[in-house]
């Protein structure tokens, strides 16, 4: 079990005031990590911190916009002033469902900046610190859409496909410094973002029939992959994507 022990390690998780990010934070904290939650809304962050502290977990918060380079650099500097960072999870993400022929450039830019550019900005702010300390873990939350396209998901698909390749690019440049950079690719999970799809009986039926496991995933089921990639158990795993999808990518 010591391979998965995160005692004494500190993690920053972007977009973690709710949904998948909050469950990743809970999972890492349950394995001993001290977790810094991130988001743009201080009220939601405060509620998330209170919830996890109520479970006896070690968490704090840092509110800053991950798409703003100056805000990222200032936010990360403030976090580092409070102690070292061993783990970064780039989880912030949004979805804007619109056909490609109708998507406006502002919407396209918003999705790309939030889902892809933010991962570069935060990773680039944290990586020199990790390199100086002799190692670290960077994990990015991807998607099935890193591999597959679907109507009205063009901006999201492009961003998550780009994020997959950013993982590999960071591995190519930083693995020699004992940084492990990997990704987690969720399938269809019940979250605040997917609530309209879960409530759509036709779409939900399609998800269940298309997924060998026969159901939607629950956010807590992503914690195991995150703990693995954040721990010593993955010290020679680099540039890889673990898809947690109930088998959807494995079958036609």
């Amino acid at each position: 079990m010591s391979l998965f022990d995160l005692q004494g390690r500190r993690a920053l998780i972007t977009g973690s005031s709710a949904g998948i990010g909050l469950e990743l934070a809970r999972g890492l904290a349950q394995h001993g990590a001290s977790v810094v939650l991130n988001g743009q809304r201080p009220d939601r962050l405060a509620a998330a911190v209170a919830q996890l502290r109520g479970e006896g977990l070690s968490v704090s918060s840092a509110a800053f916009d991950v798409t703003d380079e100056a805000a990222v650099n200032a936010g990360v500097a403030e976090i580092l002033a409070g102690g070292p960072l061993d783990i970064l999870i780039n989880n912030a993400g949004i979805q804007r469902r619109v056909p490609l022929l109708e998507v406006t450039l502002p919407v396209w830019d918003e999705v790309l900046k939030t889902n892809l550019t933010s991962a570069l900005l935060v990773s680039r702010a944290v990586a020199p610190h990790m390199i100086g300390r002799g190692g670290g873990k960077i994990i990015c939350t991807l998607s099935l859409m890193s591999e597959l396209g679907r109507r009205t998901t063009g901006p999201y698909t492009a961003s998550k496909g780009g994020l997959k390749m950013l993982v590999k690019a960071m591995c190519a440049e930083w693995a020699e410094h004992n940084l492990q950079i990997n990704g987690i690719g969720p399938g269809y999970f019940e979250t605040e973002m997917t609530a309209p799809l879960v409530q759509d009986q036709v779409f939900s039926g399609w998800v269940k029939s298309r997924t060998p496991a026969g159901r939607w995933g629950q956010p807590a089921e992503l914690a195991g992959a995150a703990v693995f990639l954040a721990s010593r158990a993955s010290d020679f795993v680099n540039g890889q994507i673990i898809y947690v999808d109930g088998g959807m990518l494995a079958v036609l």
Side-chain angles (χ1 to χ4, degrees), residues 12 36-40 45 60-64 75 78-79:
L12 167 62
V36 180
L37 306 182
N38 161 264
Q40 291 193 65
L45 280 175
S60 59
S61 66
F64 58 86
E78 185 174 347
I79 292 168

Side-chain angles (χ1 to χ4, degrees), residues 7 13 47 75 85 102 107 132 136 139 154 167 177 188 197 225:
Q7 289 286 341
I13 305 178
L85 275 177
E102 300 174 17
V107 169
I139 304 162
V167 164
H177 301 293
Y188 283 93
L197 301 179

Side-chain angles (χ1 to χ4, degrees), residues 167-234:
V167 164
K168 295 178 183 296
M170 291 191 291
C171 169
E173 296 198 15
W174 300 338
E176 65 180 331
H177 301 293
N178 193 34
L179 271 64
Q180 290 84 53
I181 304 97
N182 295 287
I184 299 172
Y188 283 93
F189 278 72
E190 290 191 41
T191 67
E192 184 178 307
M193 184 185 295
T194 62
L197 301 179
V198 175
Q199 294 163 9
D200 182 329
Q201 292 187 0
V202 174
F203 188 87
S204 190
W206 174 83
V207 167
K208 294 174 183 177
S209 66
R210 180 66 180 79
T211 304
R215 61 178 177 84
W216 290 75
Q218 299 301 314
E221 293 177 300
L222 292 164
V227 170
F228 167 65
L229 292 176
S231 71
R232 290 192 303 112
S234 61

Side-chain angles (χ1 to χ4, degrees), residues 11-16 20-21 24-25 28 35-36 38 66 86-92 119 122-123 126 130 137-141 182 184 222-223 225-227 229-230:
L12 167 62
I13 305 178
T14 68
S16 51
I20 287 174
L24 297 181
L28 265 60
V35 181
V36 180
N38 161 264
V66 293
D86 306 282
I87 304 156
L88 166 64
I89 301 184
N90 291 304
N91 176 74
V122 183
S123 297
V126 171
M130 290 182 170
K137 306 279 187 174
I138 297 177
I139 304 162
C140 295
T141 301
N182 295 287
I184 299 172
L222 292 164
V227 170
L229 292 176

Side-chain angles (χ1 to χ4, degrees), residues 9 12 20 23 33 39 67 70 73 88 91 96 99 116 142 145 147 164-165 174 196 210 216 231 243:
R9 300 198 180 192
L12 167 62
I20 287 174
E23 289 300 334
T67 70
N73 291 339
L88 166 64
N91 176 74
R96 299 288 184 262
L116 176 57
L142 281 69
M145 298 300 171
E147 301 290 344
K164 177 183 73 171
M165 298 313 297
W174 300 338
R210 180 66 180 79
W216 290 75
S231 71
Y243 287 99

Side-chain angles (χ1 to χ4, degrees), residues 66-67 72 90 92 112-123:
V66 293
T67 70
V72 166
N90 291 304
L112 268 290
K113 284 178 66 177
T114 304
N115 296 359
L116 176 57
T117 304
S118 71
L120 171 66
L121 295 179
V122 183
S123 297

